Amino acid sequence: MKTIIVTVFCITQFSILQSAAQALAFTDPAQAYNKLLLDKNGDGTNMERVGTYKVKGKSLYFGGNLKGTVYNKERGFPDVLINYNTYNQNVDIYDNGNVPIATKKYNELDSFKVNVNTSDFNATVTFVSSVILQSNDNCFFQVISLGKKYALYKKYHSDLGIVTENQFQADLRQFDLLTDYYYSESGVKGIKKIKLTNNGIIKEFKNIKDISKIIEEGSLMFNPEGLLLNVFEEINK
């Protein structure tokens, strides 16, 4: 009987952790959209070939074909369609007739803006090259908050994840969209990754300001970005 009780308890705890992890992912609108695409592609059609793998879903930010503007050192190019690939970090650029113009890497653009318009998210989003931010991550960073001293950024990147409902098909994968948060300080070279734990955030900024009360009153699991925005509002005062 004890064995049965322990087994049930472990299964229940695992289910709770799984649900919490899924809830965390869905707080980000791009991750939620990515999951929607995976669910729509549940039958395994329209897969992408990546190396030896057949991959479900899409690695394009919000599915691609987003209207926006790309910028290089010389000028901006408005009114183009943009596909931002979060797996290889390339930006495919098309004219309004969907004719390919160019494919640019993180070191060939300074930044780009895209207009996202879905039923759950409507915003103009700006991405900046890691070269501009003096980072070695070789990617684009989304601008979340620009303060007078500290700025907050988010990095999107896609991994080839195991398809949970079909773990025994060795060549099958899915695009899992992941996020990391970084910050920069005015006058200081480069950007730094934020450790997304309560203690990690408190320790990171303890020499700037005591933010423990903000952390205690916030919800890192269910709204990490909202919590970080509150932190950055405080340290920029």
Side-chain angles (χ1 to χ4, degrees):
M1 177 65 71
K2 287 184 179 180
T3 302
I4 295 173
I5 293 173
V6 170
T7 302
V8 171
F9 174 78
C10 290
I11 293 173
T12 302
Q13 291 297 100
F14 178 72
S15 298
I16 292 172
L17 289 172
Q18 271 194 321
S19 298
Q22 289 174 353
L24 174 61
F26 295 157
T27 62
D28 182 275
Q31 288 179 318
Y33 190 86
N34 182 68
K35 180 61 168 60
L36 179 64
L37 292 180
L38 284 173
D39 291 344
K40 283 184 176 180
N41 195 27
D43 59 358
T45 58
N46 300 318
M47 288 192 181
E48 183 175 335
R49 175 67 68 173
V50 179
T52 59
Y53 296 114
K54 296 181 294 183
V55 187
K56 294 174 57 179
K58 278 191 174 184
S59 58
L60 300 180
Y61 180 71
F62 275 101
N65 287 332
L66 302 174
K67 291 184 178 181
T69 303
V70 295
Y71 301 88
N72 60 24
K73 290 180 175 59
E74 289 76 31
R75 55 168 291 192
F77 298 86
D79 300 322
V80 294
L81 295 177
I82 295 171
N83 285 352
Y84 168 39
N85 192 317
T86 59
Y87 181 70
N88 61 25
Q89 296 297 319
N90 287 344
V91 175
D92 294 321
I93 307 166
Y94 302 81
D95 66 17
N96 281 316
N98 213 24
V99 176
I101 297 175
T103 295
K104 297 294 183 181
K105 298 181 180 296
Y106 68 92
N107 58 352
E108 296 177 297
L109 290 177
D110 285 357
S111 63
F112 64 91
K113 293 182 179 181
V114 289
N115 302 317
V116 181
N117 187 5
T118 71
S119 57
D120 299 313
F121 186 67
N122 191 339
T124 298
V125 183
T126 299
F127 288 89
V128 180
S129 165
S130 57
V131 175
I132 298 298
L133 296 177
Q134 298 178 301
S135 165
N136 294 322
D137 279 60
N138 299 342
C139 66
F140 292 94
F141 291 95
Q142 182 185 342
V143 179
I144 302 298
S145 173
L146 295 176
K148 60 183 180 181
K149 191 169 184 182
Y150 299 97
L152 177 64
Y153 301 92
K154 177 162 56 178
K155 172 186 173 182
Y156 285 105
H157 55 107
S158 288
D159 285 351
L160 302 185
I162 300 296
V163 180
T164 54
E165 67 269 21
N166 196 345
Q167 299 183 31
F168 301 104
Q169 191 172 338
D171 65 341
L172 184 63
R173 291 291 187 273
Q174 67 182 29
F175 285 115
D176 288 337
L177 185 60
L178 309 175
T179 60
D180 294 305
Y181 288 91
Y182 292 73
Y183 77 97
S184 66
E185 180 180 356
S186 179
V188 178
K189 180 180 178 180
I191 62 174
K192 189 173 182 181
K193 187 176 180 179
I194 299 173
K195 185 178 181 181
L196 275 186
T197 64
N198 288 349
N199 287 336
I201 299 171
I202 292 171
K203 288 180 180 179
E204 185 66 45
F205 301 107
K206 67 179 181 179
N207 293 329
I208 304 168
K209 189 169 286 190
D210 180 9
I211 56 168
S212 55
K213 186 176 181 181
I214 296 175
I215 300 300
E216 290 167 4
E217 294 177 350
S219 176
L220 184 60
M221 174 173 286
F222 295 106
N223 190 11
E225 192 165 311
L227 177 61
L228 288 174
L229 283 170
N230 290 336
V231 168
F232 275 75
E233 181 180 0
E234 182 65 25
I235 64 177
N236 273 306
K237 287 181 178 177

